[in-house]
Structure formats: C-alpha cells, structure tokens
C-alpha cells in the first residue's frame, strides 16, 4: 500500500527529475523520423528498396508525403504498406494530405472523400493527419483563411472520432501580412486548438523571418510535430543538411516540452546530390547533438 510518505518521496523524485531533464517528459527520443518527400523520386520508383535504405541509415520513423483515395499509400493499400514498414522496423505516425479546394476531382483530400482517408489512416495506425500545403489558388484573403480554418475544424472533428489528431503544416506564405495580420495568426485563432494542431517547419518559419521559439511560447502545446529542415549560410538561403546551416536546433529542442512535441521529421526539399547521402548526414548530426 502506498503511504503518504512514500507518495511524497516519489513525487519529489519525479519533480527533481523534471527540473534536471525536462526533455525526458516531452517526446520519445528513440524515434528519429524522415519525411518521405525528401526521397520522393526513389519512392516513386521502388518504395520497398527506398524504405530499406532509409532504415539502413538509421531512421525508424517516417512521415508519408502522399495519399490518394485510389492509389492510397505509394500505390499500395494500407495492409501492404504497413507490412512493408514493419519489415524495415519503421513506424508511420504521420502522413500529409491536400486541402483539395483547387481540385474537386482529387480524392482523399480534406474537402473530398475525407472520411475514407481517415478510415485508411486509422487502419494503418497513423496518429496525425497533416494538411500539407495550400496551392496558390487556395490561399487568398484573410477571410478565405477563416473559411479554411472552419474546414480544418470540421475535418479535425472527423479525425478525433477515429482517434487521430489533425495538424496544419506551414510554409512561408502564411507570414505575408494583410491588414497588419499574418494568415498564420488567423489560422491559429479560428481553429480549435484541440481539433487542429500545427506541424512547424523550422526552415519555412525562419525563411519568413519568424522566431520558432517565440511561436512556441505564444502557443504552448500547439506544435506536436516538427520538420527539422536547415537553411544554408548563402544569401539564397537554400535547403541544406541538418547541422550545416544557420538554424539553432539545439536551442529550439530545449523548448520541446513547451511545444508539446511528439514526433519530428527530417526533410530536405532539394539535395545537392544523392538524397541518401544528405539524409545520412542529417541523421548523424541529430544522433550526436539533439537526441
């Protein structure tokens, strides 16, 4: 039987542990993820060989970059794709999806056949479904972003019923001001913080001259997913391997608990050579410096 004295002693130990190492209570460090968009050309040619190489590098978590209502996950149904992941010791906690406002015939989007997309995600064990990108035609005014926020709330309700969390992934265009306000601020304000959380892309936030840590502190618990993507030191501010650029990931990771971080994914939209070389370099830096 637990006594008051033992309870207080245990509580004191836990509290001390949190003061010494708060990151232990933020996210599971054993998972180092890769956003599969980084190796998209290889995935299009041979998903099995690509996932095997991703696992050989050391990654044990992936985020899907494509889903359609017809071809589903990289041309495979959920069961086949799940078996392929398991064969390589990989989990898929998150996957990207389109809003679908600019393509009414596009299946498996937030605005078209979303229920089936959610069912397929749930069957695969996906925990986070992410609105990946808004096409130029889908952006518009702040009033239009308010409408998108409403659409995300509706989609988030459907996700919640399936035990899945909806998120929104940013680029830099959400930080172009209109009437002194950022569209990103509008999305944060009009979406329910429990139904719609955010996947913060560190490169695009930095590219837009925003401070990731300030955003985290302003909206604690809103950022369970991160894209770990670095920016090079040239005037062009291009993509580069994690650790090669200007983004201070060590400092950002100190705020993982405040952000509510659960999973992070390396992403490099463009690589200078073979993507496998780039993701290996990023993995080595993360393993040595961040987790």
């Amino acid at each position: 039987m637990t006594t008051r004295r033992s309870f207080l002693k245990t509580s004191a130990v836990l509290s001390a542990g949190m003061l010494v190492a708060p990151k232990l209570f933020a996210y599971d460090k054993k998972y180092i993820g890769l956003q599969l968009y980084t190796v998209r050309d290889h995935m299009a040619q041979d998903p099995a060989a690509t996932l095997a190489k991703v696992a050989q590098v050391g990654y044990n978590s992936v985020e899907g970059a494509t889903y359609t209502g017809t071809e589903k996950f990289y041309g495979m149904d959920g069961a086949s794709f799940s078996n392929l992941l398991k064969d390589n010791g990989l989990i898929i906690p998150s996957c990207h999806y389109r809003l679908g406002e600019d393509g009414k015939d596009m299946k498996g989007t937030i605005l078209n056949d979303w229920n089936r997309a959610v069912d397929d995600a749930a069957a695969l064990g996906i925990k986070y479904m992410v609105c990946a990108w808004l096409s130029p035609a889908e952006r518009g005014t702040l009033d239009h972003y308010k409408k998108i926020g409403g659409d995300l709330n509706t989609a988030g309700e459907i996700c919640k019923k399936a035990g899945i969390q909806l998120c929104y992934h940013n680029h830099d265009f959400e930080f172009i001001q209109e009437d002194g306000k950022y569209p990103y601020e509008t999305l944060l304000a009009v979406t329910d913080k429990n139904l719609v959380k955010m996947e913060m892309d560190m490169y695009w936030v930095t590219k837009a001259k925003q401070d990731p840590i300030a955003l985290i502190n302003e909206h604690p618990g809103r950022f369970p997913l991160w894209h770990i993507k670095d920016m090079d030191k040239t005037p062009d501010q291009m993509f580069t391997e994690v650790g090669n650029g200007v983004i201070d990931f060590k400092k950002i990771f100190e705020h993982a608990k405040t952000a509510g971080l659960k999973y992070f994914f390396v992403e490099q939209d463009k690589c200078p050579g073979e993507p496998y070389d780039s993701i290996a370099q990023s993995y080595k830096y993360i393993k040595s410096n961040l987790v």
Side-chain angles (χ1 to χ4, degrees), residues 26 37 64 67 69 78 83 100 104 132 143-145 147 162 171 174 186 227 230 237 247 254 258:
Y37 184 74
Y67 168 87
N83 289 334
K104 300 301 183 182
D143 283 340
H144 190 64
Y145 275 98
K147 177 187 178 301
H171 288 76
E174 295 95 342
T186 297
H227 272 189
D230 213 344
Q237 298 183 316
I247 299 177
E254 292 175 1
T258 302

Side-chain angles (χ1 to χ4, degrees), residues 65-124:
T66 180
Y67 168 87
T68 66
T70 51
E71 295 182 353
K72 305 213 177 200
F73 303 97
Y74 298 96
M76 290 171 272
D77 60 32
S80 299
F81 191 52
S82 177
N83 289 334
L84 185 57
L85 292 168
K86 289 177 182 176
D87 288 344
N88 289 286
L90 298 168
I91 65 167
I92 182 167
S94 177
C95 189
H96 275 197
Y97 300 82
R98 288 290 308 277
L99 177 66
E101 188 180 74
D102 64 346
K104 300 301 183 182
D105 296 329
M106 191 185 306
K107 299 292 185 181
T109 67
I110 288 172
L111 296 178
N112 191 353
D113 208 16
W114 186 238
N115 284 286
R116 176 161 57 163
V118 172
D119 288 344
D120 286 342
L124 191 56

Side-chain angles (χ1 to χ4, degrees), residues 243-288:
N244 272 357
V246 300
I247 299 177
D248 190 347
F249 289 109
K250 291 182 181 179
K251 186 175 181 180
I252 292 171
F253 265 82
E254 292 175 1
H255 300 266
K257 183 185 175 188
T258 302
L261 178 65
K262 299 301 180 185
Y263 298 96
F264 66 86
F265 305 96
V266 170
E267 184 181 35
Q268 190 168 336
D269 297 32
K270 296 180 180 178
C271 302
E274 174 54 61
Y276 294 126
D277 295 335
S278 289
I279 67 172
Q281 186 174 336
S282 292
Y283 177 87
K284 182 177 180 180
Y285 177 85
I286 291 169
K287 192 71 174 176
S288 300

Side-chain angles (χ1 to χ4, degrees), residues 167-236:
C167 294
Y168 178 87
H169 169 266
N170 69 276
H171 288 76
D172 58 347
F173 58 78
E174 295 95 342
F175 297 98
I176 299 173
Q177 285 193 347
E178 179 186 335
D179 297 330
K181 294 182 178 179
Y182 293 128
Y184 198 67
E185 292 175 329
T186 297
L187 288 174
L188 282 164
V190 302
T191 53
D192 185 311
K193 65 180 181 180
N194 295 313
L195 295 177
V196 183
K197 295 193 182 294
M198 299 291 173
E199 178 173 56
M200 186 184 288
D201 188 302
M202 299 300 173
Y203 171 91
W204 289 116
V205 167
T206 305
K207 179 84 168 177
K209 296 181 171 52
Q210 303 299 305
D211 181 355
I213 294 172
L215 280 170
I216 288 169
N217 289 332
E218 288 168 15
H219 304 278
R222 201 78 191 264
F223 304 96
L225 305 180
W226 292 358
H227 272 189
I228 304 304
K229 182 190 304 182
D230 213 344
M231 176 188 293
D232 72 18
K233 301 173 183 177
T234 70
D236 292 333

